[in-house]
Amino acid sequence: MSLNTVDPGHTLPPAALDTDEAARYIGVAPKTLANWRGRSQGPRYVRAGTRVVYRVADLDAWLAENLVGGGPR
């Protein structure tokens, strides 16, 4: 996961991750994300030409929507 440099000594986490980074973030194989895209499943993504990126906010939302078990919180 790369960091965006705002100014020397200050970095921000990325707002979007490529497929490999997104797969690591949610704990699946990159091929799984590709398969899900082909079946219109999984987290939302952005297609910019041939490039695919996943917004971290969308990955977090998808994880929250797919939370199972543990009872009410």
Side-chain angles (χ1 to χ4, degrees), residues 30-58:
K31 184 69 175 167
T32 299
L33 283 178
N35 288 338
W36 286 346
R37 285 195 309 267
R39 294 192 306 252
S40 298
Q41 297 177 319
R44 294 172 61 177
Y45 61 93
V46 176
R47 185 176 300 278
T50 59
R51 187 164 185 249
V52 171
V53 296
Y54 292 83
R55 296 183 311 173
V56 173
D58 289 330

Side-chain angles (χ1 to χ4, degrees), residues 13-36:
L17 306 174
D18 67 23
T19 299
D20 290 341
E21 293 168 328
R24 277 194 305 275
Y25 188 83
I26 65 171
V28 300
K31 184 69 175 167
T32 299
L33 283 178
N35 288 338
W36 286 346

Side-chain angles (χ1 to χ4, degrees), residues 55-67:
R55 296 183 311 173
V56 173
D58 289 330
L59 294 171
D60 289 339
W62 182 82
L63 288 169
E65 290 165 7
N66 288 281
L67 184 62

Side-chain angles (χ1 to χ4, degrees), residues 2-18:
S2 59
L3 295 178
N4 300 319
T5 302
V6 175
D7 59 56
H10 184 76
T11 57
L12 293 175
L17 306 174
D18 67 23

